Amino acid sequence: MFADDQASKALGIELVEAAEGHAVATMRVTETMVNGHDIAHGGYVFLLADTTFACACNSRGPVTVASGAEISFVAAGKLGDHLIATATERTRYGRNGIYDVTVHRETPDGPEVVAEFRGRSRTIQKASR
């Protein structure tokens, strides 16, 4: 799935790790991702978290999509930040799942959380093209 994700690739998102119910992806905040307040636009942070969520919830094979998601911005992303998103499956029930994604940056004092994301997934039948 990630190999065909042109939106994520265009932003430089890299999938670092993928396993059943788990994924890690990274993205560098570039000049085109900074808003009028000189901080990372929340939409880009959301996209990184959503991409990582998608990799985790599709890790078992069946086509799975988001049925909903929410994000809490904890700290502002900054130009040049190397953001790291870690997705973890919390539960699956029937065709549904719940996943948490933490987006952080590394600092000299250790990881600093930038955002917390919760995604809800739904496994679907793949539509024919």
Side-chain angles (χ1 to χ4, degrees):
M1 180 217 64
F2 185 77
D4 294 329
D5 185 342
Q6 297 305 313
S8 296
K9 285 183 184 179
L11 294 176
I13 294 175
E14 295 181 15
L15 181 61
V16 176
E17 184 180 324
E20 285 194 3
H22 175 79
V24 178
T26 64
M27 179 184 78
R28 174 102 31 215
V29 177
T30 66
E31 288 181 0
T32 59
M33 297 176 183
V34 176
N35 65 22
H37 296 294
D38 203 29
I39 59 176
H41 190 292
Y44 289 107
V45 177
F46 186 97
L47 194 145
L48 171 62
D50 187 52
T51 295
T52 311
F53 157 62
C55 291
C57 67
N58 279 277
S59 61
R60 290 188 172 81
V63 175
T64 305
V65 297
S67 63
E70 61 184 50
I71 193 165
S72 295
F73 298 107
V74 177
K78 301 171 188 165
L79 177 64
D81 276 352
H82 183 246
L83 300 179
I84 302 159
T86 304
T88 305
E89 180 180 276
R90 294 298 175 211
T91 189
R92 289 188 319 149
Y93 52 102
R95 294 173 32 211
N96 304 294
I98 298 174
Y99 294 76
D100 287 338
V101 183
T102 299
V103 178
H104 77 276
R105 67 173 152 247
E106 292 296 331
T107 72
D109 295 326
E112 180 180 4
V113 174
V114 172
E116 291 289 349
F117 171 105
R118 173 156 279 190
R120 296 175 304 282
S121 68
R122 179 82 172 174
T123 300
I124 62 169
Q125 290 184 342
K126 187 172 182 176
S128 59
R129 292 184 182 196

